[in-house]
Amino acid sequence: MAEPEGPEDRKPQSDEALSAFTPPAGVEQPVPPEEEHPTSEFAVPEGFHPEPAAEPEGSAFATPSTYSVKQAPAAFTPAHGIPLAKLPVDAPWQDRMRTMLRLPVSERPVPEARKEDESGPAVGRVLDLTLRIGELLLAGGEAAEDVEAAMFAICRSYGLDRCEPTVTFTLLSITHQPSLVDDPITANRTVRRRGTDYTRLAAVYQLVADINAEAHEVTPEEAYRRLADIRRNRHPYPGWVLTAAAGVLAGAASVLLGGDTTVFFVAALGAVLGDRLAWLCAGRGLPEFYQFLVAAMPPAAMGVLLTLLHTDLRPSAVITGGLFALIPGRALVAAVQDGLTGFYITASARLLEVGYFFVAIVVGVLSVLYLAVQFDAQLNPEGALSAVERPAIQIVAAMVLCATFAILLQQSRETVVFATLNGGVAWVVYASIAVTADGSAVMATAVAAGLVGLFGQLIARYHHTSSLPYVTAAIGPLLPGSATYFGVLAIAQNNLDQGFASLAKAAALALAIAIGVNLGSELARLFMQAPRAAAARRAAKRTRGF
């Protein structure tokens, strides 16, 4: 007789006894498998033995292990074929590089293959050299498209054809991808300081031309050495020459507007004082905004002093002459050029910089004029509008203005002569349309600036260098100094409508200069032997409003 089960015997030994999947009592327990391993639904089925992989697994861009060139499908070729870009070697390298940058990567002609026993330079070293050269070009005031063309030319000269340079206002970046199955390499560099030294800019352009020329064999080591020499080179003119050039520039501008010998010296003295104050602020580490503000105050103070002394001189000519050396003409031209060529971010940043400098000039002059109004200084803008026609004296004054402007830009002595002649021609064209023919000042400015850009671009391509030394100083006589002064004076006299109208005219004249220079540079391509693809280079299509 079996003993009755107690409460302890009926108690389950574990929680598994309460599971719904636990076999009931009296049912034979299943035999566990010999090897119990959890498997994925993507596991290889039993009995299938795959072939071992030919190479270990790499990146996402690695060639698949099942890929075979012999079994690859035929490449698709459109019915009209793939266009071949023909780039003559004798064409300027700037045009050839611009043409290639506007072509898709798949349609760019590849560089010539290197010899089998010749190993190319390291990719990282070439990219670093490219960024350093691009930094000097962008800091020197070059347009973004020209900087990209130079960077692409350097990479292509050293065998890196699949490169994509990117230029913004403060950042340079370049990416190299050897092929579609290799990981890209990207490097960048930040431009923190900007300076005006066109002699250094010309030396950098010569270095890029030598790297890109087939007659020269410039190794990366030699390029680094030449780049270091360019950085260490001293400016061609000492500080006292620059200060004197600023004074002569202001004096020549005042004579251009109808001043006499006394006005020349007074305007020169005001500009020299402003230049020295700006140098003092720069040495103290103040931003450029305050340097422009301080530099604009002494010329305005000299004009107010002449008014308080009740002389027969032209104080407006003194003040306007001091503003000619401060208006950032080249930055405005570069901003409009970047906008017209599709670099909108860089163009916006340059225009914002020009706006800050312009506001600094206005604030500096307005502060002095406001104090003059409080002391009952009789500043009459209407009396300054009477035109004084002295063709021979004004042409000489315009050429002196261009020559001193070129010295302030640290140009070489060879380029100063051509910039002076180019500026003289521009002033003759402007005066013929605006004064003799009584035409529109904006139209006359645009036509004269177009000729400056045309001649400057032609002579720059002839010498295989930058066009800035031949263009920037030549537009000096066309800068809107008078319109700026009259607008500020009207605002100081609480005539806001007239003041803002005059400032708007100054902005229109400045834009006319920028667009004219850019159009002249584009027209220069029609007079040069350029590749067919460069003459009909691709551009962005019109959006048609959407």
Side-chain angles (χ1 to χ4, degrees):
M1 183 175 180
E3 297 181 358
E5 296 181 357
E8 294 81 2
D9 298 332
R10 292 194 299 269
K11 186 177 180 180
Q13 300 300 323
S14 63
D15 294 338
E16 295 179 357
L18 302 178
S19 174
F21 298 97
T22 303
V27 178
E28 183 179 359
Q29 301 290 333
V31 181
E34 295 180 359
E35 295 182 0
E36 188 175 6
H37 299 288
T39 59
S40 169
E41 59 181 353
F42 299 102
V44 180
E46 183 178 357
F48 180 78
H49 301 285
E51 297 181 0
E55 55 186 13
E57 183 179 0
S59 66
F61 297 96
T63 306
S65 59
T66 58
Y67 178 80
S68 175
V69 178
K70 297 180 180 180
Q71 300 176 359
F76 172 75
T77 303
H80 54 78
I82 299 177
L84 178 61
K86 297 181 180 180
L87 304 175
V89 181
D90 55 349
W93 66 266
Q94 296 96 327
D95 290 333
R96 290 189 286 116
M97 294 304 110
R98 280 198 193 94
T99 302
M100 297 189 63
L101 283 174
R102 292 178 178 268
L103 290 175
V105 179
S106 59
E107 298 181 10
R108 294 175 183 172
V110 297
E112 297 181 0
R114 294 179 176 271
K115 299 179 181 180
E116 297 181 357
D117 57 347
E118 182 181 358
S119 58
V123 175
R125 192 168 181 83
V126 174
L127 297 184
D128 179 73
L129 175 64
T130 303
L131 290 174
R132 291 178 182 274
I133 293 179
E135 178 190 8
L136 288 180
L137 293 177
L138 187 62
E142 273 291 356
E145 187 180 27
D146 295 331
V147 177
E148 280 196 358
M151 294 173 64
F152 187 78
I154 298 170
C155 291
R156 187 174 175 81
S157 299
Y158 290 116
L160 306 183
D161 58 320
R162 300 180 64 89
C163 288
E164 288 295 337
T166 304
V167 177
T168 59
F169 185 61
T170 58
L171 182 65
L172 298 172
S173 177
I174 188 167
T175 301
H176 169 65
Q177 187 175 7
S179 64
L180 294 177
V181 297
D182 293 324
D183 294 333
I185 302 175
T186 302
N188 53 59
R189 193 173 184 88
T190 303
V191 180
R192 303 187 184 278
R193 296 188 60 183
R194 302 177 184 274
T196 304
D197 189 344
Y198 284 177
T199 301
R200 176 182 297 176
L201 187 67
V204 175
Y205 255 86
Q206 185 61 44
L207 174 60
V208 176
D210 292 343
I211 293 176
N212 193 64
E214 294 184 355
H216 296 77
E217 186 65 26
V218 182
T219 62
E221 289 73 17
E222 182 181 355
Y224 268 109
R225 179 186 58 78
R226 291 179 57 178
L227 193 62
D229 293 339
I230 293 173
R231 287 181 176 274
R232 287 194 299 264
N233 281 345
R234 297 176 58 87
H235 297 302
Y237 307 104
W240 66 270
V241 174
L242 299 180
T243 301
V248 176
L249 188 152
S254 65
V255 173
L256 195 66
L257 300 174
D260 54 9
T261 306
T262 306
V263 172
F264 175 91
F265 286 105
V266 174
L269 178 60
V272 168
L273 293 177
D275 182 77
R276 287 294 88 191
L277 288 177
W279 276 95
L280 180 62
C281 293
R284 299 291 182 178
L286 291 178
E288 287 184 302
F289 178 88
Y290 300 104
Q291 298 176 26
F292 274 80
L293 190 150
V294 171
M297 297 178 72
M302 299 300 293
V304 171
L305 181 61
L306 291 181
T307 303
L308 294 176
L309 294 177
H310 302 285
T311 60
D312 295 334
L313 302 177
R314 300 170 66 95
S316 60
V318 174
I319 300 176
T320 305
L323 299 182
F324 267 79
L326 300 178
I327 299 177
R330 174 55 204 168
L332 180 64
V333 172
V336 175
Q337 183 176 354
D338 289 341
L340 294 177
T341 53
F343 295 86
Y344 300 113
I345 297 178
T346 307
S348 302
R350 289 185 189 271
L351 285 176
L352 184 61
E353 182 186 37
V354 172
Y356 270 107
F357 292 160
F358 191 78
V359 170
I361 296 172
V362 169
V363 171
V365 177
L366 188 60
S367 301
V368 177
L369 295 183
Y370 182 77
L371 293 177
V373 171
Q374 301 304 316
F375 285 97
D376 297 330
Q378 301 299 323
L379 295 170
N380 184 14
E382 300 297 334
L385 294 177
S386 57
V388 179
E389 295 187 14
R390 297 177 298 177
I393 296 178
Q394 289 179 334
I395 292 175
V396 173
M399 297 178 67
V400 172
L401 189 153
C402 295
T404 52
F405 206 166
I407 294 175
L408 289 176
L409 295 174
Q410 301 283 359
Q411 295 184 199
S412 61
R413 294 171 176 81
E414 294 78 10
T415 61
V416 171
V417 176
F418 185 86
T420 302
L421 296 177
N422 200 10
V425 173
W427 175 256
V428 170
V429 173
Y430 168 80
S432 300
I433 298 176
V435 180
T436 305
D438 198 16
S440 172
V442 177
M443 182 186 68
T445 302
V447 173
L451 291 178
V452 169
L454 175 64
F455 296 151
Q457 194 68 237
L458 288 176
I459 192 66
R461 295 306 175 86
Y462 179 78
H463 292 287
H464 299 285
T465 183
S466 173
S467 62
L468 293 184
Y470 306 102
V471 171
T472 305
I475 64 175
L478 306 177
L479 294 176
S482 300
T484 303
Y485 164 68
F486 294 147
V488 174
L489 178 58
I491 294 176
Q493 294 176 343
N494 203 21
N495 192 351
L496 300 182
D497 294 339
Q498 182 180 354
F500 286 116
S502 184
L503 292 180
K505 180 182 178 181
L509 292 173
L511 291 177
I513 294 174
I515 296 176
V517 170
N518 180 262
L519 181 60
S521 300
E522 294 295 331
L523 291 177
R525 304 177 189 277
L526 302 178
F527 298 91
M528 294 184 300
Q529 184 180 1
R532 180 179 305 175
R537 58 178 182 171
R538 300 182 180 183
K541 294 184 178 180
R542 185 163 57 95
T543 58
R544 302 181 187 274
F546 55 83

